[in-house]
Amino acid sequence: MPSQQIAFIFPPFAHDYPGNLFPDLHGFQTVFSGYLKKASLFTGTDLENFNTISCDFLDDELKTQYIAYILGCTLSDYFDRKGIVAGYSAGYSMGIYTALHHAGAIYFETGLDLIRSAYALIRETIEGDEFLMGSIIGLTREDILQLKHSSEQKSEITIRNSDCSFILSG
C-alpha cells in the first residue's frame, strides 16, 4: 500500500468549544489536562480550571489564545503518540505557534512566551483604540477597495486567502 501524505493545519482561534473535546480520541483529555497544568505553572495563569462546557475563558483574550495553542499542541502530541506523521504542517494566523511546536522548532513553553509577548505588544500598540476584524467572501479585491473608498471606514485588507476571500482589519 503506497504511503499517503497527511497535512496538519492548525487554526488560529476557537470562538466556541464543543462540550466534550474529541470524544473519539482515546486519551486526548489526559494529554490536554497535562498541558493545561504545565501552562498554568509556566504562565502563572489559572488554565487548569478551563471548562469546555461553560466556555468560561472566552471573555479573556489571552487565556483564549493560550487555550487554542494548548488544544493544538495536544492534538499534535496525540498524533505523534499514535504514529501519525504529517508530511506537511501549517499554522494559520495564531496557529503558527502550534505548527512551530509540532515541527519541533520551539518548546511548548516558548510558544506560550511568544503568545504572551505578541499579546502584550498588540495591547500596548492599540491601547485606547477600538479595532475589529472581519472576513469577506465572494467579493474581489477591487470590489472591496471600491467599497472602502466610498465609505468612511478606516480598514485595510490584511489577509488574502483567495481571489474572493479576504480578512479586513481596522
Side-chain angles (χ1 to χ4, degrees):
M1 180 158 126
S3 66
Q4 63 186 62
Q5 292 292 315
I6 298 172
F8 295 159
I9 300 174
F10 298 103
F13 297 105
H15 294 282
D16 214 348
Y17 302 95
N20 185 3
L21 293 172
F22 309 106
D24 296 331
L25 301 183
H26 181 71
F28 177 88
Q29 192 60 48
T30 302
V31 176
F32 183 59
S33 295
Y35 269 121
L36 288 172
K37 181 175 184 171
K38 192 174 187 179
S40 291
L41 291 170
F42 183 78
T43 64
T45 303
D46 176 21
L47 298 167
E48 283 186 89
N49 292 315
F50 171 70
N51 184 314
T52 58
I53 295 170
S54 69
C55 297
D56 53 351
F57 286 4
L58 291 177
D59 291 335
D60 185 319
E61 186 65 34
L62 182 56
K63 284 184 180 180
T64 298
Q65 290 181 26
Y66 284 150
I67 294 296
Y69 174 68
I70 294 165
L71 280 170
C73 289
T74 303
L75 282 170
S76 171
D77 246 21
Y78 182 84
F79 293 137
D80 282 348
R81 290 176 186 192
K82 295 292 183 183
I84 301 171
V85 179
Y88 306 92
S89 179
Y92 180 70
S93 188
M94 201 199 88
I96 191 73
Y97 305 118
T98 306
L100 287 169
H101 170 72
H102 176 74
I106 62 172
Y107 295 110
F108 174 71
E109 294 84 357
T110 304
L112 294 168
D113 264 343
L114 289 170
I115 291 167
R116 179 178 30 215
S117 295
Y119 177 82
L121 287 170
I122 291 167
R123 295 289 300 178
E124 181 182 312
T125 302
I126 66 169
E127 189 174 341
D129 293 330
E130 290 188 22
F131 290 85
L132 295 173
M133 292 181 74
S135 63
I136 296 180
I137 299 173
L139 297 178
T140 66
R141 178 180 175 82
E142 292 74 27
D143 293 335
I144 295 168
L145 291 176
Q146 184 178 9
L147 288 169
K148 182 182 165 224
H149 292 303
S150 66
S151 74
E152 298 291 321
Q153 296 298 317
K154 296 179 182 175
S155 62
E156 299 295 328
I157 295 173
T158 52
I159 300 174
R160 176 185 174 261
N161 296 312
S162 71
D163 290 339
C164 292
S165 175
F166 298 89
I167 305 293
L168 274 69
S169 301

